[in-house]
Amino acid sequence: MKNNELLRTLKFAFFSASAGVIEIVSFSLLNELIKWPYWPCYLIALTLSVLWNFTLNRKFTFQSANNVPVAMLKVAAFYLVFTPASTWIGNYQAETLLWNEYLVTGLNMAANFVLEYLYDRFFVFRGSIDTAKK
């Protein structure tokens, strides 16, 4: 049982890292090439990484056969809280406090990683872990 949870956590970390690459590359392209303010760069990058991360973690990490639209709505509920909070805080840090936008994005990504794992593991996929047919 403990080995399964360790493997599940490692898979989540791996897929989250790949989503992190998508997020930081898309953020960097928007930030450096288009020169938008922090918040639209962050929102677009976050959205791309969330779609990638949800798809891979549902199928491979949690191996869930639950209703995909229901699971997506649960994840959307998480992001209805996380996105405005992290966007507002990140924008304040980057635009008002003049923190480096990459530091701010990295802090948001770290918070997202921890909070989303806990939320997915104990709420979204709680009763459906390892139910997908192999």
Side-chain angles (χ1 to χ4, degrees):
M1 183 71 163
K2 284 187 180 185
N3 287 338
N4 287 347
E5 284 306 311
L6 177 61
L7 183 58
R8 190 176 333 279
T9 304
L10 291 174
K11 284 181 188 178
F12 189 87
F14 175 75
F15 292 130
S16 294
S18 70
V21 169
I22 289 169
E23 184 171 344
I24 201 67
V25 167
S26 56
F27 176 84
S28 297
L29 289 172
L30 294 168
N31 187 55
E32 300 298 329
L33 297 178
I34 299 177
K35 306 264 189 229
W36 281 347
Y38 177 82
W39 71 267
C41 299
Y42 172 69
L43 281 178
I44 292 168
L46 178 66
T47 301
L48 293 173
S49 73
V50 167
L51 292 171
W52 174 266
N53 204 32
F54 171 80
T55 302
L56 292 177
N57 278 312
R58 184 192 69 78
K59 182 168 178 65
F60 298 110
T61 302
F62 298 106
Q63 299 177 5
S64 174
N66 71 348
N67 186 312
V68 174
V70 170
M72 288 180 87
L73 283 172
K74 289 178 178 180
V75 170
F78 172 84
Y79 282 100
L80 282 174
V81 175
F82 182 83
T83 302
S86 63
T87 302
W88 181 82
I89 292 167
N91 194 66
Y92 177 76
Q93 292 168 328
E95 302 292 334
T96 304
L97 299 179
L98 302 177
W99 289 16
N100 179 281
E101 57 270 350
Y102 294 98
L103 170 65
V104 172
T105 301
L107 292 171
N108 277 334
M109 290 169 68
N112 189 17
F113 169 73
V114 172
L115 295 172
E116 188 176 2
Y117 177 79
L118 295 171
Y119 186 82
D120 285 354
R121 171 64 181 87
F122 296 108
F123 180 68
V124 176
F125 300 113
R126 174 189 58 211
S128 67
I129 293 175
D130 297 332
T131 57
K133 293 188 182 206
K134 299 189 183 212

